[in-house]
Amino acid sequence: MSKKMSQRVTALIFCVFLAGFGLLHIVLPDRTFSPVENRNLAQLPAFSWSALVDGSYTSKLEKYLEDQFPLRDGWMGLKTRYEYLLGKREFHGVYLCGDMLIHKIEDSGRAEQNAGYLRKLTEKAEVPVYVGLIPTAAEVYRDSLPAGSENFDQAAYLEQVGEGLSDAVWVDLAGALADHAGERIFYRTDHHWTSLGAYYGYRALLEAMGETPAPLGTAETVSEDFYGTLYSSSGVHWIAPDTIERYISGENVTVENFEKGEMHGLYVDSFLEEKDKYASFLGGNTPLYIVRNPEAASREKLLVVRDSYSDALAPFLSLQFAEVHLLDLRYYRTSVAEYAKEKDIDRIFVCYSVENFVKDADAVFLGQ
């Protein structure tokens, strides 16, 4: 075949390829949600001359065509595999470390400021304050990260925060997790700690309070096909799914969902049939949960100022405290000290992952 003929055949194949995908785009219905990426997909934007002139229409159209590209999930997985074969180990801010995905942590510029708000809370609160910041897998498994990986120094930050809290009790969650690093304390496809990791956090808190933690008990596996947020965002789709375990039955425990105004148990099993299976703990992100257990070891009320890591921690806390108020300042913006006073709280526990704490714009409410 002559060089000219070869070029024509190549051009023809390319045109057929483009035409085929164009036809697929017309025939296939638009998707509203990607379960693989766990996000809503862009929809066809409404046309207007003003939007065309200011460029917003073309920008939205480009995003729409990107999100609705035929067989998008398969192509994304193929692209990621190709990059992996070329030696790449970081994908969209997620490191691939063997059979585990680990999120890259960066300082948003709020780390020092938020530590200051924490100190203000310990000065304002009229009840004992306990502080435990949870190091992520990027710290616990720092030695497993790819060579030359950039990552926020969580160990140094935890030491700095702990030393600045003269009026609070520091809960050494980093030490508690490091002691059990060889166990499955973090999910492989998600950024959260597992129920086992949460138990070690619970035990560290109870010991800091001078209380006796309950024994771990027997695990019940409730899901064997959990693909978490890092699986969705990285494009690394050849990792085996995680399992989700529970150690607390939740019998006689009730949970009040402040936002929805409804009562339910410790777990919402309907989420086990959805993509976000971690939300089966309590029911997912909401401004305020109040967990009540009439058979708890004490009659005390505990206020947990928290992020979503505490969803898996709450079942263990329900064993000790008659009421556990789980307050998420991202959705419930209020003075923590005032809330504790108003609700007759006995103790306050500030419990964030380091990743969320150093970038939380709502930590200002800790100091009010």
Side-chain angles (χ1 to χ4, degrees):
M1 184 184 293
S2 66
K3 181 178 179 181
K4 189 173 183 179
M5 180 60 72
S6 175
Q7 290 174 339
R8 287 178 177 175
V9 171
T10 301
L12 178 62
I13 293 173
F14 182 68
C15 288
V16 170
F17 180 83
L18 288 180
F21 272 91
L23 182 62
L24 281 175
H25 186 80
I26 294 171
V27 172
L28 295 175
D30 288 348
R31 299 187 303 160
T32 58
F33 181 79
S34 170
V36 172
E37 298 178 70
N38 196 31
R39 69 176 181 88
N40 294 321
L41 299 177
Q43 302 300 297
L44 182 65
F47 176 82
S48 71
W49 288 109
S50 60
L52 181 63
V53 171
D54 66 22
S56 61
Y57 177 76
T58 53
S59 177
K60 291 178 181 178
L61 183 62
E62 181 180 350
K63 181 62 177 172
Y64 162 74
L65 293 173
E66 178 184 325
D67 277 9
Q68 300 297 338
F69 190 82
L71 310 178
R72 171 185 168 83
D73 293 342
W75 284 109
M76 286 182 59
L78 184 62
K79 175 178 179 290
T80 303
R81 283 181 180 273
Y82 175 70
E83 292 174 338
Y84 173 77
L85 291 175
L86 293 179
K88 187 175 180 179
R89 294 297 181 269
E90 181 188 342
F91 306 93
H92 306 288
V94 179
Y95 295 120
L96 175 58
C97 307
D99 66 344
M100 186 174 189
L101 297 170
I102 297 179
H103 198 204
K104 179 180 179 180
I105 309 302
E106 297 178 303
D107 180 6
S108 67
R110 291 194 173 96
E112 184 62 37
Q113 181 183 54
N114 287 353
Y117 293 140
L118 199 52
R119 289 190 290 272
K120 287 183 179 179
L121 170 63
T122 63
E123 296 167 1
K124 289 176 174 288
E126 299 177 5
V127 295
V129 176
Y130 301 80
V131 177
L133 300 184
I134 308 165
T136 70
E139 178 60 36
V140 177
Y141 301 120
R142 175 178 287 273
D143 293 341
S144 299
L145 297 178
S149 300
E150 296 181 3
N151 217 51
F152 179 67
D153 191 342
Q154 298 182 58
Y157 182 68
L158 288 170
E159 182 178 358
Q160 173 190 345
V161 174
E163 289 177 351
L165 295 175
S166 57
D167 297 321
V169 178
W170 180 253
V171 182
D172 185 16
L173 298 182
L177 293 176
D179 289 344
H180 298 275
E183 303 173 45
R184 204 172 70 88
I185 54 176
F186 287 98
Y187 292 109
R188 292 178 297 99
T189 69
D190 192 70
H191 61 290
H192 291 106
W193 57 7
T194 63
S195 293
L196 183 60
Y199 172 76
Y200 292 129
Y202 151 79
R203 196 166 72 178
L205 172 63
L206 267 287
E207 290 172 352
M209 290 179 169
E211 306 290 346
T212 303
L216 179 59
T218 304
E220 176 193 5
T221 300
V222 295
S223 176
E224 295 182 339
D225 60 348
F226 172 44
Y227 292 100
T229 56
L230 302 184
Y231 176 92
S232 300
S233 63
S234 67
V236 178
H237 296 159
W238 58 88
I239 298 290
D242 279 299
T243 60
I244 295 179
E245 287 81 30
R246 297 173 183 167
Y247 293 88
I248 307 299
S249 69
E251 187 176 357
N252 297 323
V253 178
T254 60
V255 176
E256 180 180 355
N257 185 321
F258 172 84
E259 183 178 40
K260 295 182 178 180
E262 62 183 25
M263 305 284 288
H264 54 74
L266 268 178
Y267 310 109
V268 182
D269 287 342
S270 60
F271 282 104
L272 295 175
E273 306 302 320
E274 300 183 16
K275 173 67 171 61
D276 187 11
K277 291 177 170 54
Y278 183 79
S280 61
F281 293 102
L282 297 183
N285 291 332
T286 202
L288 173 66
Y289 285 117
I290 301 178
V291 181
R292 296 181 175 89
N293 183 6
E295 299 176 359
S298 76
R299 297 293 89 206
E300 288 190 333
K301 296 180 182 179
L302 175 70
L303 170 60
V304 183
V305 187
R306 57 84 175 222
D307 60 17
S308 56
Y309 276 66
S310 291
D311 292 359
L313 179 64
F316 298 109
L317 296 178
S318 72
L319 298 176
Q320 178 67 28
F321 300 95
E323 283 189 14
V324 180
H325 295 235
L326 295 143
L327 184 67
D328 193 327
L329 295 178
R330 294 173 297 178
Y331 312 110
Y332 194 119
R333 294 173 172 85
T334 188
S335 162
V336 172
E338 286 300 317
Y339 181 92
K341 184 177 181 179
E342 194 177 295
K343 303 297 182 180
D344 294 321
I345 297 296
D346 297 290
R347 309 187 199 218
I348 299 172
F349 179 37
V350 179
C351 184
Y352 285 79
S353 67
V354 172
E355 175 183 11
N356 286 331
F357 187 73
V358 298
K359 65 183 182 183
D360 188 5
D362 298 304
V364 61
F365 295 103
L366 287 168
Q368 291 185 355

